[in-house]
Amino acid sequence: MTDTYFTQDWFNHNSRGLWSTMLRPYRGKPNVKVLEIGCFEGRASLWLMLNILFHPSSTLTVVDTFTGETQASYPADYPGIEAIFDRNLAAFTKQIKKYKGFSADIVPTLPKQSYDFVYVDGCHEKEEVYTDGMNAILHAVKKGGLVCFDDYQSGYEPTYLGISKVLEDCQDKIEVINVGYQVWCKVLP
């Protein structure tokens, strides 16, 4: 595998331990399908490929604009994000489907209810978070599958409000199984 390169680490301190526990049922299983909304440089993507999706028939679909964050606290000033992602995930190109663009436009075109796990970490503004969450729960994830929302307790109010609205509007469709920095939900059968 090629040496990896990252400019940021927003994944390991908040995610890795919990992800190992939550995603254990999928670890190394054939035909597991994961959708990642917002992949940035691929740190979470790489972790998924190395720790969960290592069976050759399992796949990761990523959706990102590859332009960086657009909220005021994280201006879009990260040049070369897509090239960094491609370098970091080069060993897994046969298992990764990459879509470049806005998740609100792309996710509804993906196969309905076909993902075992959806990770929502795209744009952090309220309306975009809400749209990503609704698309994840109502369109992308299989019944019985998992959805993880990142940055719920990050202190950025628009993200918190967007996720909270999804949880409220989908309360009859999901079971919330963990609340912390991230919110984990199981989509009801």
Side-chain angles (χ1 to χ4, degrees):
M1 188 167 80
T2 307
D3 290 331
T4 57
Y5 169 77
F6 298 98
T7 64
Q8 304 292 326
D9 184 1
W10 296 314
F11 178 73
N12 286 315
H13 68 287
N14 294 316
S15 308
R16 194 168 49 178
L18 184 59
W19 280 43
S20 293
T21 301
M22 294 294 197
L23 298 175
R24 185 172 292 126
Y26 303 116
R27 182 175 162 75
K29 300 281 196 252
N31 302 309
V32 174
K33 294 176 78 177
V34 172
L35 171 62
E36 184 178 4
I37 300 172
C39 59
F40 195 57
E41 298 169 340
R43 190 175 290 271
S45 310
L46 182 62
W47 188 92
L48 285 163
M49 296 310 301
L50 293 173
N51 295 282
I52 304 299
L53 302 173
F54 52 85
H55 191 282
S57 66
S58 292
T59 59
L60 174 63
T61 300
V62 298
V63 178
D64 203 303
T65 60
F66 294 102
T67 59
E69 192 55 78
T70 58
Q71 69 197 47
S73 57
Y74 292 109
D77 62 354
Y78 292 104
I81 293 171
E82 186 174 12
I84 293 170
F85 176 90
D86 291 343
R87 173 185 170 179
N88 288 333
L89 280 298
F92 305 101
T93 55
K94 290 182 181 177
Q95 289 176 266
I96 295 177
K97 297 174 187 170
K98 183 177 79 172
Y99 293 89
K100 185 175 181 177
F102 291 100
S103 53
D105 298 328
I106 295 169
V107 174
T109 70
L110 299 175
K112 192 171 174 101
Q113 296 180 349
S114 61
Y115 296 95
D116 299 288
F117 170 56
V118 178
Y119 179 40
V120 180
D121 189 22
C123 182
H124 289 68
E125 297 303 326
K126 180 182 175 184
E127 292 305 317
E128 286 80 359
V129 171
Y130 179 79
T131 299
D132 286 346
M134 296 302 284
N135 281 336
I137 292 168
L138 300 178
H139 180 82
V141 75
K142 294 176 182 178
K143 302 294 183 195
L146 297 174
V147 177
C148 173
F149 295 93
D150 199 35
D151 300 310
Y152 185 63
Q153 293 181 351
S154 68
Y156 190 66
E157 186 176 22
T159 303
Y160 175 86
L161 293 173
I163 295 169
S164 295
K165 181 77 169 132
V166 171
L167 299 178
E168 178 184 327
D169 289 355
C170 291
Q171 62 186 325
D172 62 334
K173 295 170 181 52
I174 59 172
E175 174 190 358
V176 177
I177 54 178
N178 189 76
V179 177
Y181 193 86
Q182 298 177 327
V183 174
W184 286 74
C185 307
K186 183 175 186 175
V187 175
L188 299 173

